[in-house]
Amino acid sequence: MTVTARLYGDAYGYEAVAAAPRWEGRCGGCGAWNTLVEEVAATTPVALAPAERPVPIGQVAAAGAAARATGISELDRVLGGGLVPGSVTLLGGEPGIGKSTLLLQALAAMAGAGTRCLLVSAEESCQQVRLRAERLDALRPELWLASDTALPHVLAHAAELAPEVLAVDSIQTVHDPALGSSPGSVAQVRGCAAQLVQLAKTRSPAVILVGHVTKEGTLAGPRVLEHVVDTVLSFEGERHHALRLLRAQKHRFGSTDELGLFEMSDAGLRAVADPSCLFLGDRRPGVAGCAVVPVLDGRRPLLVEVQALVAGSSLTMPRRSVQGLDSARVALVLAVLERRCSVSLANSDVYASAAGGVRVGDPGADLGIALALASASSGRPLADDVIACGEIGLGGEVRQVAQTGRRLAEAARLGFRAAIVPGSAPDTGAALELVRVATVRDALDAAGLRAEQPTVVSLAK
Ligand code: TYD
Ligand code: MG
């Protein structure tokens, strides 16, 4: 047995950098501590398939089977149509986020349309899965179940049943005794996944592998599989919120720009077709410190409410509490407000958040954050039917962000009347009144938020 040192850092591309004959605390190759991962050295030479001759690209047969819709609209959106036969999809996410639920609902939807699906549950018994399926109304004649952790059994089930979709939940809990190392180890996860990939390529079922990731990204987690599968989906969300986001991190058959949104309910995951309505549903009009911003997640515009609260502080270093927003961007906006707009919050506690459990990293939200902070500081609310969109530069200038037109169209669709935008923003027709501003100071003026302003200007409440 050889102990191979692997450093699981992006810089090394997850490749082995050295081998050691016994356990060592420090990698002889790169000097890093505690990065050795045990791997059984291959003893039998791998038989090579006969070489194929290179062909001109025009003579390569066009790709065969097209994607098959799963019937779960938000999943199909992220997959660019559906599952491609012979492809391997990795569904990753933190434990408890809802991977098994999504999988069961997707398989039930496909089985309902006559596609033979086999779900191998290596974590739950068939009875447990059935109970869940009853709750989710997912009992279908073409949905087959097996509860097994041994990979040779999984392959045998697949050979016997010849499913069109094979799902394994999870890849960390199946193991192949022939690989030697303990279940869940890197060698096991990779070895088992390689055999399932082989199955997908030779027998053409669409294979879905579920993989757990922790916030830190476990060693034996899906990260080591990313390069062997065709598609990597990541299922995310705040545990205390019902909102779940599905993204493609890698997709060989389509774009990785789509975002799927679900809401976890008592009856499983529900597709959120109109997320902006969801995020703005509980808005209270006329409250100071709130601004609505159109952010872009992938290609999908979402209207999100940014909220700020400013309170007197008794601390030497006043509190800065940020949730759902990028704290570095909030700090930048605070600095710009102080130096360019004379809005000083240096002696106040500042709380800023994005409502609804969504995480906003988009610089297009900067202007909305600035308006929310200035509104919270002055106690003057923004008008309810106004949105703000733009990135803020250190000079206090407001800059245009990608796909401003698409964002503004979403705001117009939801009935907003006006948008505070950078001077260079494209025209959107008559749907939305555009208030063009060059600087944050102009934006505060336009919104009637500057403390020294004597009268309330048109956009203010
Ligand atoms: P699960 O799909 O088991 O998560 P994972 O496979 O990612 O570990 O679902 C986890 C949570 O979802 C569980 O804590 C309960 C919740 N849940 C609901 O709220 N409603 C439902 O209908 C189901 C099936 C689960
Ligand atoms: Mg699960």
Side-chain angles (χ1 to χ4, degrees):
M1 184 178 291
T2 305
V3 178
T4 306
R6 284 180 186 277
L7 187 67
Y8 287 87
D10 283 330
Y12 289 86
Y14 309 103
E15 286 306 320
V17 293
R22 60 184 170 81
W23 190 257
E24 282 175 23
R26 189 162 193 241
C27 170
C30 64
W33 291 91
N34 288 333
T35 54
L36 293 198
V37 172
E38 184 183 322
E39 206 168 74
V40 181
T43 44
T44 46
V46 183
L48 278 181
E52 281 183 29
R53 299 197 56 184
V55 284
I57 189 165
Q59 290 175 20
V60 177
R68 183 178 293 161
T70 63
I72 306 273
S73 56
E74 295 294 296
L75 178 59
D76 288 338
R77 172 200 288 268
V78 176
L79 288 172
L83 286 172
V84 175
S87 71
V88 183
T89 303
L90 176 67
L91 174 62
E94 288 175 39
I97 206 73
K99 299 179 297 296
S100 305
T101 309
L102 178 62
L103 189 63
L104 189 55
Q105 287 184 246
L107 293 183
M110 284 186 282
T115 304
R116 176 170 289 192
C117 301
L118 171 60
L119 169 59
V120 179
S121 178
E123 292 187 350
E124 292 166 278
S125 67
C126 287
Q127 286 75 18
Q128 284 173 313
V129 179
R130 185 195 157 121
L131 270 180
R132 183 191 296 229
E134 275 175 18
R135 269 209 305 139
L136 298 174
D137 187 22
L139 298 183
R140 301 284 181 279
E142 280 295 358
L143 176 50
W144 295 69
L145 278 188
S147 178
D148 220 316
T149 54
L151 187 75
H153 294 174
V154 177
L155 298 177
H157 297 324
E160 188 192 329
L161 199 68
E164 289 162 272
V165 179
L166 168 68
V168 178
D169 185 1
S170 68
I171 188 66
Q172 275 114 335
T173 40
V174 286
H175 77 282
D176 183 356
L179 292 173
S181 47
S182 54
S185 65
V186 175
Q188 279 286 351
V189 169
R190 269 212 305 219
C192 292
Q195 295 183 55
L196 289 163
V197 169
Q198 187 65 23
L199 174 88
K201 303 300 168 207
T202 51
R203 291 175 166 263
S204 307
V207 171
I208 308 175
L209 308 176
V210 169
H212 295 294
V213 254
T214 60
K215 278 219 163 70
E216 301 77 39
T218 46
L219 269 192
R223 303 230 62 188
V224 295
L225 298 182
E226 279 173 6
H227 58 283
V228 295
V229 300
D230 298 305
T231 303
V232 179
L233 300 181
S234 105
F235 203 36
E236 304 159 14
E238 295 285 334
R239 200 167 270 253
H240 303 293
H241 279 100
L243 185 71
R244 299 285 181 271
L245 300 94
L246 185 70
R247 291 195 175 84
Q249 291 181 343
K250 163 184 174 179
H251 194 23
R252 286 191 177 144
F253 310 107
S255 135
T256 52
D257 271 348
E258 291 293 350
L259 168 73
L261 287 161
F262 295 91
E263 201 178 1
M264 181 62 94
S265 72
D266 288 345
L269 291 158
R270 269 206 306 258
V272 178
D274 197 347
S276 298
C277 286
L278 176 79
F279 295 139
L280 299 181
D282 295 326
R283 231 176 123 216
R284 276 184 57 218
V287 176
C290 301
V292 176
V293 293
V295 296
L296 211 63
D297 200 318
R299 277 158 34 87
R300 199 164 184 183
L302 308 171
L303 286 189
V304 176
E305 184 177 21
V306 173
Q307 298 186 318
L309 184 67
V310 173
S313 181
S314 52
L315 303 169
T316 338
M317 289 203 25
R319 191 186 297 272
R320 300 283 179 256
S321 167
V322 178
Q323 277 178 7
L325 300 170
D326 181 348
S327 35
R329 297 215 75 86
V330 174
L332 181 149
V333 171
L334 282 169
V336 169
L337 280 176
E338 174 163 348
R339 296 304 304 269
R340 312 281 177 197
C341 310
S342 318
V343 177
S344 176
L345 301 173
N347 298 320
S348 309
D349 286 340
V350 174
Y351 302 84
S353 71
V358 67
R359 228 173 261 160
V360 177
D362 183 348
D366 286 0
L367 187 57
I369 297 173
L371 291 176
L373 287 166
S375 162
S377 160
S378 68
R380 301 178 183 202
L382 262 122
D384 301 329
D385 50 5
V386 172
I387 57 136
C389 173
E391 180 179 356
I392 293 179
L394 293 181
E397 76 280 13
V398 180
R399 296 161 177 270
Q400 202 190 145
V401 282
Q403 312 219 31
T404 302
R406 193 186 266 259
R407 299 169 194 243
L408 297 182
E410 174 74 353
R413 185 181 74 78
L414 285 158
F416 282 84
R417 176 180 58 85
I420 305 179
V421 292
S424 56
D427 254 324
T428 52
L432 207 62
E433 177 194 337
L434 296 188
V435 181
R436 297 177 186 276
V437 294
T439 63
V440 184
R441 185 177 271 265
D442 292 349
L444 300 193
D445 281 341
L449 295 179
R450 288 256 306 282
E452 63 267 31
Q453 276 177 278
T455 50
V456 175
V457 195
S458 70
L459 291 180
K461 188 87 183 160

